[in-house]
Amino acid sequence: MNKIIEKEHFSKLVIKLVIEAPEIARSRKPGHFVIIRVDKKGERIPLTIADADESKGTITLVIQRVGVSSCKLTDLEVGDTILDVSGPMGQATHLDKVGTVLCAGGGVGVAPLLPIVKGLKEAGNRVITILAARSKDLIILEDQMNEYSDELIIMTDDGSYGKKGLVTHGMEEVIKREKVDMSVVIGPAIMMKFASLTTKKFNIPTVASLNTIMVDGTGMCGACRVTVGGKTKFVCIDGPEFDAHQVDFDQMLQRLGAYKDQELEAYEEYLKTLA
Amino acid sequence: MDDIKEYLKAERSQEWRTELRKSKKAKERTGLERASMPEADANKRNKNNEEVNKGLAAEIALVEASRCLDCANPTCIAGCPVGINIPKFIKRIEKEDFLGAAKVLKETNTLPAVCGRVCPQEKQCEASCFYTVALKKTPVAIGHLERFAADYEQNSGKMSVPEVQKPTGIKVAVIGSGPAGLACAGDLAKFGHEVTVFEALHEIGGVLKYGIPEFRLPNSVVDIEIDSLKKMGITFKTNFIIGKTVSIEDLREQGYQAFFVGSGAGLPNFMNIPGENYNNIFSSNEYLTRVNLMNAANPDYDTPVFSGNNVAVIGGGNTAMDSVRTAKRLGAERAMIIYRRSREEMPARVEEVKHAIEEEIEFMNLHSPVEYFADKNGKVNKMRVQKMELGEPDASGRRRPIPLEGSEFDVDVDTVIVSVGVSPNPLIPSALPELEVTDWNTIEVNPENMQSSIPDIFAGGDIVRGGATVILAMGDGRTAAEGMHKYVTEKVKAN
């Protein structure tokens, strides 16, 4: 049982939760994720840790309301408890000094990108960060990102904030302007696919953090498997970060849709219970 | 070993046993037919989750118990990986002391109600029963009787809690709450140690919960056994991943003196054939976990599972049988086993295969998939299989399957469950780089006491064996508990 200590609405659909989890707060590193089960009937869902406070014994998660589980979780209030939180899982990010790193975060993927940006900056890199979203109200963590980035660029699809255009446009502009040694991209699979194709054109080593479907998160089931460099890898134990240029994003997109019909149906049922 | 023989002899010469032996002539005993297990109707049970084996009625169990000759040299015991005093518990049944029989089981077996259901007795105790070996008759139904006594106790509400010795104050940790861990924890608690079991998942029981289906091993049966362990003073911590949540080093600092790693073979193997990552192709671990642990087939639960009309399960082991029979229960019109060898070489228990056949499972033996095809959404819709023939025996002693070139044909499928074995879970070994592992990533141990290359770390079950049975895992857990007991006792003395 893990208590919710703090709740903040970044937007109508994107919510930050600070959760009591002292052991995880102590052992987690950038790149790690947790598996959460909201209640007895809940499913196990992976969520990347956005931040942690060891002294307070808390971890921070940023969740986008997309289906039953994310809604159940974000409908909880301060003082409520989550039945199961386990982790930290996955391999931590390699935070080496490489020179200039271009970090691109899409939508709620900005949250797990934050500790990586912070870590890369602390490792002595020049960090250029691009935050991208459909519109202004979906841009999150701007101030924190600004604090740890040498340069922060905001891109919105509709031009309601920052520059108008896709994340890839922003990335290309930077790459054409200066030498980039490495890139980190985190966001929806489709965004990571195109961000990865962009850096591939310029031969820039790129890391993507994959958010596949998982059940146990410990290597036991293989639901999260994805092809990387022609080989099947388990995101939960081999990842979640991989060489983005080797990831078969089309397969990953297909696998993410495995339960689309059931998810939609369950979501509609859930909305009815709220009405 | 001599100690055990002496002990068994002394037990056997107790007055009640001697009297009971004399109460019936051996001929009378050997003339009786072996009791058969009552089963749920195949045509009904393959549509629900009710337990297939119904258990023996008391009057049948009494007769079956009287078949046992209470041999002077009970070879059956040698066939039991946890060394149950088999004649003693059976004779307790014959004496109508069913609770006493359960107590005997618990002397050496932490999970009798589980073992009575899932042990391959036909390969163990019953294979070395005097009836099998000397009389060439069907053996005493040791497994059925074990289940009978354990169930009787569970249903009586008078669960006996095994005696634990006076607290030693020594903290020990068990990593993983599957059969190996539970058996180890039970014995460590009996020695009087302060035992904490750490489990990565949210449920205690490991494969007993996520793997073995309800129709073969109801979760409630497992929970009662776990309850007994809690009453012995064992602490359970769920959602706790050693090597991730905290390290072994952290636990050492917290005063834990020895560790048992029973983290299992939780890493499913795939065949690495084209199309294997299409949707609706699952590992048996994923499929069974969704259904058993996450309750996915129950619409009240959030976890989804896809289970179609044409389900192919690849493999011939018990897990393959569990998967295919689950698929049938979830409504498959066609649920098939695809196995590359013939029926005789299938590693599954004979009983599981028999039950599967009764439940209208199709068997495609001597076939193996070579490629999968999918619709435009990436959902598997066809499987190409190749015919096989059997050649010379391989390292496993079974005849090697040889592909017949040009024999390929396609089968319509909408769900595929890959059940071709598991590899050791890498979490613990990767958290302990100095731990010695084999080429197959199993932990290297001294088989005498299950001690690893790191002196305070012991291991057993599938993390050492790479994929075996519940009972062998439990046997390892017991051996390790004894090794750990010796180790911590000496360690504490030395300080």
Side-chain angles (χ1 to χ4, degrees):
Chain A
M1 296 284 256
N2 303 65
K3 208 189 211 168
I4 296 174
I5 302 296
E6 200 187 313
K7 181 178 179 180
E8 185 186 336
H9 278 263
F10 284 156
S11 70
K12 210 177 140 205
L13 294 179
V14 180
I15 289 131
K16 174 179 123 173
L17 293 178
V18 178
I19 298 161
E20 207 171 63
E23 277 115 353
I24 300 173
R26 198 163 77 92
S27 48
R28 72 93 214 191
K29 291 193 175 69
H32 280 151
F33 65 93
V34 288
I35 293 258
I36 279 195
R37 191 172 68 129
V38 178
D39 56 34
K40 217 176 146 267
K41 292 179 178 170
E43 58 182 334
R44 291 171 65 95
I45 52 165
L47 291 164
T48 312
I49 303 168
D51 201 359
D53 187 326
E54 204 185 319
S55 61
K56 289 185 185 146
T58 59
I59 58 168
T60 303
L61 303 173
V62 177
I63 306 118
Q64 185 167 3
R65 290 168 69 91
V66 286
V68 173
S69 295
S70 54
C71 284
K72 269 186 166 182
L73 179 59
T74 50
D75 282 343
L76 296 177
E77 298 298 338
V78 171
D80 290 345
T81 53
I82 299 167
L83 185 58
D84 301 301
V85 178
S86 68
M89 291 161 173
Q91 305 291 336
T93 313
H94 293 286
L95 297 168
D96 302 323
K97 184 175 176 183
V98 292
T100 300
V101 186
L102 176 59
C103 295
V108 74
V110 168
L113 188 63
L114 177 62
I116 295 172
V117 164
K118 196 173 157 188
L120 286 168
K121 183 69 199 159
E122 280 162 3
N125 293 287
R126 168 174 160 78
V127 182
I128 303 166
T129 305
I130 303 177
L131 304 185
R134 279 199 306 280
S135 57
K136 185 184 176 183
D137 58 326
L138 293 171
I139 293 289
I140 58 169
L141 297 169
E142 185 187 342
D143 293 344
Q144 289 93 324
M145 282 295 192
N146 209 6
E147 194 183 333
Y148 300 109
S149 306
D150 292 276
E151 187 185 345
L152 184 72
I153 300 162
I154 310 258
M155 306 284 307
T156 51
D157 296 2
D158 62 0
S160 54
Y161 192 47
K163 287 186 189 171
K164 183 175 161 57
L166 296 169
V167 69
T168 45
H169 300 144
M171 291 174 76
E172 261 193 58
E173 238 181 78
V174 174
I175 294 166
K176 282 177 177 159
R177 183 187 75 196
E178 66 180 287
K179 184 172 172 287
V180 172
D181 299 290
M182 192 181 110
S183 181
V184 179
V185 297
I186 308 183
I190 190 80
M191 170 257 172
M192 290 193 283
K193 175 186 168 179
F194 286 102
S196 159
L197 286 172
T198 303
T199 57
K200 199 174 180 178
K201 277 196 299 200
F202 301 95
N203 276 320
I204 299 166
T206 301
V207 170
S209 176
L210 309 186
N211 51 345
T212 51
I213 295 173
M214 291 184 192
V215 184
D216 62 288
T218 64
M220 203 182 78
C221 82
C224 64
R225 66 194 193 275
V226 62
T227 303
V228 181
K231 288 204 173 92
T232 294
K233 296 280 179 190
F234 286 11
V235 172
C236 65
I237 50 169
D238 299 320
E241 290 169 15
F242 292 99
D243 176 350
H245 298 159
Q246 302 292 322
V247 173
D248 183 342
F249 281 107
D250 292 331
Q251 183 189 73
M252 180 184 159
L253 278 159
Q254 228 170 37
R255 290 186 61 78
L256 278 169
Y259 293 97
K260 217 163 68 189
D261 299 346
Q262 281 137 300
E263 281 163 3
L264 199 67
E265 199 183 310
Y267 187 47
E268 278 165 4
E269 284 298 311
Y270 178 75
L271 292 180
K272 272 187 219 159
T273 66
L274 297 183
Chain B
M1 206 53 202
D2 283 346
D3 286 357
I4 295 168
K5 272 191 182 156
E6 286 305 313
Y7 163 77
L8 291 175
K9 209 172 144 190
E11 292 257 310
R12 186 175 178 269
S13 30
Q14 282 183 3
E15 210 183 314
W16 71 273
R17 291 266 292 265
T18 319
E19 255 174 43
L20 201 59
R21 271 197 302 279
K22 285 183 188 154
S23 69
K24 257 193 190 97
K25 286 194 181 113
K27 264 242 164 90
E28 252 180 274
R29 296 181 187 276
T30 57
L32 295 165
E33 287 288 319
R34 175 182 159 116
S36 56
M37 176 59 80
E39 291 166 358
D41 181 76
N43 241 319
K44 285 187 188 139
R45 74 180 189 230
N46 64 9
K47 294 169 194 73
N48 62 36
N49 233 347
E50 92 178 276
E51 197 177 0
V52 173
N53 285 346
K54 306 312 277 177
L56 299 184
E59 56 275 20
I60 309 284
L62 282 173
V63 176
E64 184 61 29
S66 73
R67 288 181 71 220
C68 170
L69 297 167
D70 198 7
C71 306
N73 176 22
T75 43
C76 52
I77 299 178
C80 175
V82 296
I84 292 175
N85 190 340
I86 293 167
K88 184 179 171 190
F89 101 79
I90 292 182
K91 291 301 118 179
R92 282 277 173 212
I93 294 178
E94 191 180 338
K95 249 185 95 63
E96 287 190 58
D97 177 10
F98 303 146
L99 290 175
K103 247 185 171 158
V104 175
L105 291 170
K106 283 191 175 169
E107 284 171 12
T108 59
N109 187 347
T110 324
L111 313 167
V114 172
C115 294
R117 287 172 166 81
V118 304
C119 266
Q121 292 99 3
E122 66 279 3
K123 288 181 189 160
Q124 296 171 349
C125 52
E126 294 182 14
S128 45
C129 172
F130 185 73
Y131 278 76
T132 318
V133 179
L135 302 177
K136 308 291 172 211
K137 285 190 172 184
T138 52
V140 174
I142 302 169
H144 297 349
L145 290 173
E146 178 182 29
R147 171 177 166 174
F148 168 78
D151 282 4
Y152 184 88
E153 190 195 32
Q154 285 206 350
N155 296 330
S156 74
K158 294 176 207 145
M159 292 293 286
S160 68
V161 178
E163 246 177 76
V164 297
Q165 284 173 29
K166 158 168 138 277
T168 60
I170 298 173
K171 276 167 88 173
V172 289
V174 170
I175 301 163
S177 70
L182 293 179
C184 185
D187 276 17
L188 287 169
K190 282 184 194 168
F191 286 123
H193 302 310
E194 194 182 324
V195 188
T196 307
V197 179
F198 297 96
E199 167 57 49
L201 292 174
H202 57 264
E203 280 267 359
I204 304 295
V207 72
L208 306 176
K209 285 281 179 66
Y210 74 74
I212 305 176
E214 195 73 7
F215 57 84
R216 205 150 76 80
L217 176 64
N219 280 345
S220 57
V221 170
V222 183
D223 283 332
I224 296 177
E225 308 253 39
I226 291 165
D227 223 49
S228 284
L229 290 166
K230 286 182 183 160
K231 285 187 184 133
M232 289 169 73
I234 297 167
T235 307
F236 288 94
K237 287 198 173 174
T238 52
N239 296 317
F240 221 96
I241 312 160
I242 303 303
K244 294 279 183 192
T245 312
V246 301
S247 65
I248 295 244
E249 199 44 50
D250 291 332
L251 293 181
R252 285 189 186 117
E253 276 167 26
Q254 290 173 27
Y256 287 90
Q257 301 288 339
F259 304 86
F260 174 74
V261 181
S263 50
L267 187 70
N269 295 341
F270 286 92
M271 295 172 70
N272 297 314
I273 56 176
E276 209 175 18
N277 290 344
Y278 283 133
N279 286 342
N280 299 344
I281 301 181
F282 311 97
S283 72
S284 49
N285 268 3
E286 179 184 351
Y287 185 73
L288 292 172
T289 299
R290 283 180 182 274
V291 177
N292 298 333
L293 181 75
M294 304 309 297
N295 245 311
N298 181 337
D300 288 346
Y301 284 72
D302 296 341
T303 303
V305 64
F306 183 84
S307 201
N309 286 323
N310 285 315
V311 184
V313 176
I314 319 302
N318 286 323
T319 312
M321 296 305 140
D322 286 344
S323 303
V324 77
R325 295 170 69 197
T326 297
K328 188 78 191 174
R329 282 159 173 79
L330 297 191
E333 277 163 33
R334 208 174 167 204
M336 346 167 219
I337 284 284
I338 317 281
Y339 182 57
R340 61 199 182 127
R341 292 178 159 106
S342 73
R343 191 81 64 87
E344 287 68 51
E345 286 85 14
M346 295 211 308
R349 288 186 69 190
V350 176
E351 184 186 79
E352 304 312 322
V353 178
K354 169 186 165 272
H355 285 160
I357 294 166
E358 289 167 358
E359 290 165 12
E360 295 175 350
I361 303 300
E362 287 176 46
F363 283 77
M364 273 176 83
N365 282 91
L366 292 166
H367 286 84
S368 190
V370 288
E371 187 172 358
Y372 298 103
F373 302 92
D375 66 14
K376 61 178 191 334
N377 298 316
K379 289 186 172 154
V380 67
N381 60 9
K382 221 189 316 202
M383 162 176 87
R384 184 156 297 161
V385 296
Q386 190 173 38
K387 289 186 181 170
M388 316 289 273
E389 63 176 7
L390 292 179
E392 294 300 308
D394 63 10
S396 74
R398 292 174 301 172
R399 294 177 65 193
R400 187 193 307 270
I402 300 166
L404 286 168
E405 294 304 328
S407 66
E408 295 84 358
F409 63 98
D410 294 347
V411 182
D412 286 339
V413 288
D414 55 16
T415 307
V416 174
I417 300 157
V418 182
S419 189
V420 295
V422 281
S423 297
N425 190 283
L427 284 182
I428 296 282
S430 62
L432 294 167
E434 68 277 28
L435 186 72
E436 276 177 33
V437 294
T438 65
D439 292 346
W440 297 274
N441 288 320
T442 54
I443 298 177
E444 293 250 33
V445 293
N446 169 1
E448 299 286 316
N449 59 3
M450 309 309 279
Q451 190 171 32
S452 76
S453 58
I454 303 172
D456 62 351
I457 297 179
F458 295 69
D462 282 358
I463 191 74
V464 166
R465 295 173 179 272
T469 59
V470 166
I471 192 67
L472 289 173
M474 290 179 63
D476 288 352
R478 294 203 70 210
T479 310
E482 218 178 307
M484 288 166 81
H485 173 60
K486 209 168 156 236
Y487 171 81
V488 293
T489 312
E490 280 166 15
K491 189 171 163 183
V492 167
K493 243 189 234 162
N495 287 332

